[in-house]
């Protein structure tokens, strides 16, 4: 158990809908990262937050957005869903700030999103 | 974006055999990482490499950070059934934005 929790574990929804994935980082970790894992694209970095502020962006679509709240939990919002958005979405957390060295990222168990 | 080429794609080996997999990149990384992912779980960090040429072990696992900073390998000695899973290499150019390889699926025949 990494200490990172993600809910829900599974989510099935229809095209065009909007969903919210939730992540609670390990106790004490200030950074939260979101990744998407799909069969064709592999594991891809989406976005990072540190202590409530966006710090880095990867291959995140404009239809996707995220935020980190004062209690440090984070939510990833996916809207206007398409079939190709079906994937595993992982949250990871680490203690450190971007650019101050490498900090081990601890991954949660993931949310499996199926868009039908 | 950056691409990591990880090979082999999959391996099916006999229990007790040694395993080797590697990763190459067209770009330089400051940190190389090796993760393992079991079914239904998130990736777990096995080994982190921070300096070119560094050779690091974690039990039966040994990994090296290539001198050119564009490659890394992972060796698993005396494989056992619980080594089954997907192994990913990842590079961190700076600032904890990880780029992952496509993974090596390891299957062990007991």
């Amino acid at each position: 158990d990494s200490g990172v929790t993600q809910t829900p574990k599974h989510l099935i929804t229809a095209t065009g809908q909007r969903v919210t994935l939730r992540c609670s980082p390990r106790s004490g970790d200030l950074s939260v990262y979101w990744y998407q894992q799909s069969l064709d694209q592999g594991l891809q970095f989406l976005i990072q937050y540190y202590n409530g502020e966006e710090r880095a962006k990867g291959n995140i679509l404009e239809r996707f957005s995220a935020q980190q709240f004062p209690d440090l939990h984070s939510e990833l919002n996916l809207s206007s869903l398409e079939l190709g958005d079906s994937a595993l979405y992982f949250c990871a957390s680490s203690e450190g700030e971007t650019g101050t060295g490498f900090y081990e990222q601890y991954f949660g168990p993931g949310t499996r999103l199926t868009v039908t | 974006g950056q691409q990591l080429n990880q090979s082999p794609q999959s391996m099916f080996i006999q229990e007790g055999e040694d395993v080797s997999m590697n990763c190459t990149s067209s770009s330089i990384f400051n940190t190389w990482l090796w993760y393992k992912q079991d079914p239904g779980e998130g990736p777990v960090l096995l080994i982190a490499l921070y300096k070119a040429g560094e050779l690091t072990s974690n039990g039966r696992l040994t990994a090296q950070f290539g001198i050119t900073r564009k490659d890394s390998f992972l060796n698993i000695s005396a494989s056992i059934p619980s080594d089954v899973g997907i192994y990913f290499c990842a590079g961190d150019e700076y600032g904890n934005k990880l780029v992952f390889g496509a993974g090596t699926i390891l299957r062990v025949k007991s």
Side-chain angles (χ1 to χ4, degrees):
Chain A
D1 185 348
S2 67
V4 178
T5 60
Q6 289 187 248
T7 56
K9 195 161 177 60
H10 300 279
L11 197 49
I12 302 174
T13 190
T15 54
Q17 295 298 305
R18 182 180 190 274
V19 296
T20 298
L21 312 184
R22 183 187 168 104
C23 167
S24 292
R26 290 188 324 152
S27 176
D29 284 356
L30 298 178
S31 277
V32 169
Y33 311 77
W34 286 98
Y35 292 85
Q36 180 193 59
Q37 186 176 38
S38 62
L39 282 175
D40 55 343
Q41 296 290 326
L43 196 55
Q44 297 223 332
F45 167 76
L46 295 178
I47 198 164
Q48 179 204 0
Y49 280 81
Y50 175 79
N51 204 19
E53 294 188 10
E54 182 185 305
R55 278 290 186 257
K57 257 186 174 177
N59 300 320
I60 188 166
L61 299 171
E62 285 192 14
R63 299 183 286 108
F64 295 1
S65 64
Q67 54 184 327
Q68 186 179 27
F69 295 87
D71 67 352
L72 301 177
H73 91 272
S74 177
E75 291 180 357
L76 179 67
N77 300 297
L78 314 176
S79 61
S80 303
L81 285 167
E82 302 173 0
L83 295 177
D85 297 328
S86 295
L88 266 169
Y89 290 85
F90 287 105
C91 168
S93 74
S94 74
E95 60 181 18
E97 159 72 290
T98 304
T100 61
F102 175 77
Y103 296 90
E104 180 176 345
Q105 296 181 25
Y106 294 85
F107 283 76
T111 292
R112 182 173 293 281
L113 173 67
T114 303
V115 182
T116 61
Chain B
Q2 294 199 39
Q3 297 288 331
L4 292 188
N5 297 309
Q6 186 172 349
S7 63
Q9 225 173 2
S10 66
M11 303 181 73
F12 191 42
I13 63 169
Q14 198 79 20
E15 184 179 352
E17 285 183 350
D18 295 346
V19 172
S20 192
M21 58 192 80
N22 67 78
C23 224
T24 59
S25 168
S26 57
S27 304
I28 287 172
F29 286 114
N30 291 319
T31 304
W32 277 95
L33 308 146
W34 286 92
Y35 285 85
K36 183 187 179 208
Q37 185 176 17
D38 291 325
E41 297 182 16
V44 174
L45 183 64
L46 299 173
I47 292 180
L49 303 155
Y50 301 104
K51 285 169 53 175
E54 179 181 353
L55 186 71
T56 297
S57 292
N58 178 7
R60 294 178 296 106
L61 278 58
T62 301
Q64 184 156 32
F65 190 148
I67 290 289
T68 65
R69 294 166 65 193
K70 292 184 178 181
D71 63 302
S72 177
F73 72 75
L74 174 71
N75 287 339
I76 304 173
S77 62
S79 55
I80 59 178
S82 62
D83 290 335
V84 162
I86 307 177
Y87 291 80
F88 293 97
C89 61
D92 177 41
E93 52 176 351
Y94 189 71
N96 294 286
K97 287 172 62 176
L98 299 184
V99 177
F100 283 84
T104 294
I105 301 171
L106 184 63
R107 299 181 178 92
V108 178
K109 189 176 177 182
S110 58

